[in-house]
């Protein structure tokens, strides 16, 4: 068992490195990575009341890593449920291997997508799902991504962050520009960044979803 520092409010909390090693161990020994990504997307899908803004469509804002891959899974599930959904691709030429697989599944299902180069009217989305950065993000969001984050925060939409709010460090919870969510859905196990730094003001509510990653 790896260094598990503490329980907070009865919840197991681990470092980003422990989560990374545990994810890798689980993939190598128990569950393939595509299945884990599918479980992560389904966990988020099941955690949100998508009908609370049913009169507007859902935007899923995707970066370029596996956090974006979770977003593609969510988009496909929404499409299959006849919920109006649109992908916003911030890096349209950049996908993780598993993310590309699920993006292609979205394309097959006719999920529409836009890129940051399109004129985006954030207010037209009732729910915005943040799949820009994962828990491994370090430094500060800048450039056009910082502008996207600020625009999402100003949209008036219901905001869901997948795993952790983009712009926050997964260990420290610190960041200068970051998503301010109505709900954050942690995947696997809570990380320190869910409780430290700016977490209290960044996350109105949070929930953790166990997807079968065995902590090492």
């Amino acid at each position: 068992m790896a260094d598990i520092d503490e329980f907070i409010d009865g919840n197991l909390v681990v470092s980003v490195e422990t989560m990374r090693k545990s994810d890798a161990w689980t993939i190598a020994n128990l569950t393939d990575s595509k299945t884990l990504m599918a479980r992560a997307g389904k966990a988020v899908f099941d955690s949100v009341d998508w009908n609370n803004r049913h009169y507007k469509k859902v935007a899923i804002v995707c970066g370029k890593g596996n956090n974006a891959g979770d977003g593609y899974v969510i988009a496909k599930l929404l499409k299959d449920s006849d919920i109006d959904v649109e992908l916003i691709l911030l890096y349209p030429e950049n996908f993780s291997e598993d993310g590309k697989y699920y993006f292609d599944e979205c394309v097959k299902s006719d999920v529409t997508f836009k890129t940051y180069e399109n004129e985006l009217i954030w207010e037209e989305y009732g729910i915005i799902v943040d799949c820009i950065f994962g828990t491994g993000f370090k430094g500060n969001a800048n450039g056009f991504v910082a502008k996207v984050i600020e625009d999402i925060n100003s949209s008036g939409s219901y905001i869901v962050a997948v795993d952790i709010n983009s712009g926050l460090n997964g260990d420290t919870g610190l960041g200068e520009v970051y998503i301010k969510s109505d709900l954050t859905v942690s995947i696997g196990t809570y990380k320190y960044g869910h409780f430290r730094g700016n977490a209290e003001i960044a996350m109105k509510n949070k929930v953790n979803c166990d997807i079968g990653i065995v902590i090492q």
Side-chain angles (χ1 to χ4, degrees), residues 57-133:
K57 59 186 169 183
V58 178
I60 302 183
V61 187
C62 297
K64 54 187 176 182
N66 284 336
N67 196 248
D70 298 342
Y72 305 138
V73 174
I74 299 165
K76 176 69 161 53
L77 291 168
L78 288 168
K79 182 72 173 181
D80 291 346
S81 300
D82 294 322
I83 296 172
D84 195 4
V85 59
E86 190 163 64
L87 291 166
I88 309 296
L89 308 182
L90 301 187
Y91 304 93
E93 304 300 324
N94 202 321
F95 299 87
S96 69
E97 181 178 352
D98 291 343
K100 184 62 166 61
Y101 172 83
Y102 286 111
F103 174 74
D104 289 343
E105 291 298 300
C106 286
V107 172
K108 292 176 186 176
S109 295
D110 296 322
V111 176
T112 61
F113 64 91
K114 294 179 178 177
T115 70
Y116 181 64
E117 283 71 28
N118 293 112
E119 183 176 350
L120 300 173
I121 303 173
W122 295 103
E123 291 76 12
E124 72 180 12
Y125 302 107
I127 300 175
I128 299 176
V129 182
D130 161 32
C131 295
I132 304 172
F133 299 129

Side-chain angles (χ1 to χ4, degrees), residues 47-48 158-162 165 181-185 203-207:
S47 297
V48 178
Y158 185 88
I159 300 172
V160 179
V162 174
N165 301 42
S181 66
D182 294 282
L183 175 66
T184 296
V185 184
M203 308 172 195
K204 287 184 182 178
N205 297 286
K206 59 180 174 283
V207 63

Side-chain angles (χ1 to χ4, degrees), residues 124-166:
E124 72 180 12
Y125 302 107
I127 300 175
I128 299 176
V129 182
D130 161 32
C131 295
I132 304 172
F133 299 129
T135 56
F137 175 78
K138 296 180 180 179
N140 290 301
N142 52 38
F144 82 95
V145 178
K147 174 71 163 56
V148 168
I149 290 173
E150 290 170 343
D151 287 346
I152 291 172
N153 288 338
S154 300
S155 66
S157 305
Y158 185 88
I159 300 172
V160 179
V162 174
D163 210 1
I164 197 167
N165 301 42
S166 291

